[in-house]
Amino acid sequence: MTELIGLPALELASLVRERQVTSREIVEAFLARTEAVDPEVNAVTLVLADEALAAADAADRTEPTGPLHGVPISVKENIDLTGTPTTHGLPALADAMPEEDAPIVTRMRAAGAIPFLRTNLPEFGLRLDTDNPLRGRTRNPWDPSRTPGGSSGGEAAAIAARMSPLGLGNDIGGSLRNPAFCCGIVGFRPTTGRVPMASSLPPVDGPLSEQLMATDGPMGRRVDDVSAAMAILNGADPSDPRSVDVPLDRPSPAHRVAGVVTTGSDGPLQPAVAAAVGRAAEALAEAGWELEEVTLPELALVNEVWMRIMSEDIPGLVEAMGSLLTPRLREVLLDHVTYYDPDRIPRGALLPERRRLMRRWTEMFQRTPVVIGPVWPEQAFVGGADMEHGIGFVARFLQFVTPAPLLGLPALAVPTGTSDGVPVGVQIHADRWNDAWCFEAGRAIEAAVGVVEPPA
C-alpha cells in the first residue's frame, strides 16, 4: 500500500474504478503516511480517519460517482468543511463550525472525492510563511528550516510529503502559488470568478479586497490532476455572485508564442530561479512554442495598486481582530498602509488604474498568449523571515504573484527541479478565461523536466 501514496490522483481514481484497488486501501495508505510523517512536518491540523474510512467503504460498495471516486483529498482550514472548524489559524475560531460545506468542497464530494485531512495556514492567511498560535509552525518537507510558503503552506507541505494526493486552497496574494513553489508541487489560481468562493460563517460577504481579488483553487503533484480538479470546481454557484459559467476547455492559441520574464521590478533574479525560468523556456521551445523575452507591463505599479487595495481593508481588519492577531503580525500589516504613499494614487483612482493595467496586460497577451516567469525572485526563505524583516522584504517576494489577483488572471505554478536541496519552479500566466493555456504550457514543461519527487 505504500506505493499508492506516490501515484497521481487520477491514477488512483482509475484503480478504484477498475476495482484493482479499493478506496479503503488508498485512504488507509495516506492515513498511515500522515501518522508517520506529519509529526515532523506539522502540515495537518485534523485527521478525519473514521469519516474517511466510512466514505471509502461506501465508495467501494457503489458504482463510480465521478472522476475522483474514492480518492482522498485535503482541505485548507479556512475553507468550510462541515463537522470541522474553519479556524483561519486563530485560537478564537478553534470552534467555529460551518453550517454547510463551501461550494468547492460540495463539488469535490459530488465528484467522488473524500475529504480526510485539514491543513494549516498562517493567521487569517496573511503571511508568506505558515505559522500560527493555534496550530504552530508548518515545516517545509524538503528542508525544515525553510518556509513551506503561505498561506496554503500546510496544504502544499502535505501534498509534497505524500500525505495527500490533491487538495484545496485559496489565493489573494499568491497563497496557492507561493507554497507550490516552495514545496515543489503544482498550484493553480483560476481566473477570478471561475470558481465560487463562499462561507456560511461571518462575515459572509468579505471586504473589498477579497471580493475583487480572492479565489479558491486546487493543488496537486501533477498538472493533469490539478486540471481535472479545475474541471470539477469550474462554474457559477448562487452563493458567490461573482462566479460565472465559462467553459474551461479552449483550443490552443492560434500563434503559440510564449513570453519569457527574466527580470523583476527591483533587479535580477536569484541564479537558481533564473535557471528555472530558462529550463521552462527550453521545454516550451522543444514543444513547438516560439519564445519572446518580455517585460511585465508596469510591474512596480501593479504591486503598488495591489498593496493599496489590500491596505484599504487592513486598518479595519486589525481593529476588528484586535488581540486575536499576534502583535508582530499587527505591526507588519499596519506597515502595509504606509509602505506606498497613499496620496500618490488617490483612493478613487485605484479601480480606474486597475482597469487600465488590465488593458495593458491584455495587450501583452495578444502577442504572447502565455507568459512564463518566476513565482518568487529567490528560493524559499528561512522560516519566520517575513516577520523578522517586515513589509519591504515581503513586498520583494510578492512582486510576481500580485498581478494575477489584481488583474483577475489565471496563473499556474509548476516545479522544474531543485537547487541546493529545495525546489525551484516557474509561474505561467495567461489572459482572463484562458486558463486552459496555462495547463497546456504546464504539461509541456512537466513532460520535459519530470515530476519533482520529494525526499523519502
Side-chain angles (χ1 to χ4, degrees):
M1 288 197 297
T2 56
E3 296 178 356
L4 295 173
I5 63 172
L7 296 179
L10 289 177
E11 187 170 343
L12 293 172
S14 177
L15 291 173
V16 173
R17 189 164 51 249
E18 295 169 5
R19 306 292 185 184
Q20 296 183 31
V21 174
T22 65
S23 175
R24 171 173 270 269
E25 288 175 312
I26 293 171
V27 171
E28 286 178 339
F30 280 102
L31 288 172
R33 175 67 173 177
T34 301
E35 183 178 5
V37 170
D38 193 57
E40 298 179 33
V41 180
N42 194 38
V44 175
T45 59
L46 288 174
V47 178
L48 310 176
D50 293 342
E51 300 92 325
L53 289 170
D57 290 339
D60 290 330
R61 292 192 301 267
T62 61
E63 292 300 313
T65 57
L68 293 176
H69 184 83
V71 176
I73 64 167
S74 44
V75 182
K76 185 179 178 181
E77 209 170 49
N78 66 352
I79 297 171
D80 288 355
L81 176 67
T82 51
T84 69
T86 305
T87 69
H88 292 273
L90 298 173
L93 299 180
D95 299 316
M97 306 296 287
E99 296 178 359
E100 56 188 31
D101 286 337
I104 58 170
V105 173
T106 299
R107 289 180 179 180
M108 293 296 269
R109 288 193 200 269
I114 300 172
F116 83 118
L117 299 178
R118 293 288 257 160
T119 57
N120 204 19
L121 72 158
E123 298 169 77
F124 225 68
L126 292 173
R127 287 183 57 186
L128 293 184
D129 194 10
T130 295
D131 188 11
N132 65 63
L134 176 63
R135 307 297 195 187
R137 169 171 294 285
T138 295
R139 290 170 284 278
N140 191 315
W142 292 85
D143 179 348
S145 72
R146 307 272 191 131
T147 179
S151 65
S152 307
E155 195 60 46
I159 293 169
R162 303 184 201 178
M163 291 184 268
S164 170
L166 193 66
L168 300 174
N170 32 53
D171 188 313
I172 193 173
S175 291
L176 287 159
R177 296 159 288 145
N178 303 326
F181 170 74
C182 293
C183 295
I185 68 164
V186 179
F188 184 63
R189 179 199 161 86
T191 296
T192 306
R194 190 178 274 287
V195 172
M197 186 178 189
S199 174
S200 59
L201 294 167
V204 173
D205 299 304
L208 175 66
S209 57
E210 180 182 302
Q211 294 189 32
L212 284 176
M213 302 191 294
T215 183
D216 289 334
M219 308 176 81
R221 287 195 298 272
R222 303 290 197 283
V223 173
D224 278 347
D225 285 350
V226 173
S227 175
M230 264 305 303
I232 294 164
L233 301 178
N234 185 59
D237 185 275
S239 64
D240 183 358
R242 304 175 308 163
S243 60
V244 297
D245 287 317
V246 177
L248 187 62
D249 291 338
R250 293 214 62 183
S252 296
H255 53 292
R256 299 176 79 216
V257 182
V260 182
V261 177
T262 59
T263 188
S265 59
D266 64 347
L269 309 174
Q270 184 188 52
V273 173
V277 174
R279 181 65 190 97
E282 291 173 5
L284 290 183
E286 292 164 6
W289 290 78
E290 296 180 34
L291 303 179
E292 177 182 320
E293 190 165 331
V294 298
T295 300
L296 296 175
E298 301 183 66
L299 181 60
L301 182 60
V302 168
N303 282 274
E304 180 175 357
V305 174
W306 178 88
M307 186 82 78
R308 285 285 315 285
I309 291 175
M310 292 293 292
S311 297
E312 290 295 316
D313 296 327
I314 284 173
L317 172 67
V318 170
E319 182 179 355
M321 302 302 291
S323 60
L324 301 184
L325 302 175
T326 55
R328 178 56 180 158
L329 179 58
R330 290 200 305 272
E331 181 182 345
V332 172
L333 288 175
L334 290 174
D335 283 346
H336 277 67
V337 180
T338 56
Y339 185 72
Y340 290 105
D341 180 1
D343 295 327
R344 202 179 84 78
I345 305 174
R347 180 178 183 181
L350 289 172
L351 295 186
E353 196 71 341
R354 172 178 178 260
R355 180 182 169 94
R356 185 187 67 79
L357 290 166
M358 294 170 95
R359 190 165 59 250
R360 285 289 318 278
W361 281 59
T362 291
E363 291 167 358
M364 175 184 67
F365 290 124
Q366 301 306 300
R367 303 187 310 274
T368 55
V370 302
V371 174
I372 62 168
V375 181
W376 283 1
E378 303 176 19
Q379 288 179 270
F381 52 76
V382 172
D386 58 333
M387 290 295 95
E388 179 183 350
H389 298 298
I391 185 59
F393 178 90
V394 170
R396 169 166 166 75
F397 280 84
L398 283 172
Q399 64 181 293
F400 295 108
V401 296
T402 60
L406 178 72
L407 310 176
L409 306 173
L412 179 70
V414 181
T416 59
T418 62
S419 179
D420 295 326
V422 289
V424 290
V426 297
Q427 181 175 206
I428 306 164
H429 284 101
D431 205 1
R432 287 170 297 282
W433 313 113
N434 291 338
D435 306 51
W437 295 351
C438 293
F439 289 123
E440 183 175 342
R443 289 186 185 97
I445 294 169
E446 184 179 84
V449 305
V451 175
V452 178
E453 296 293 348

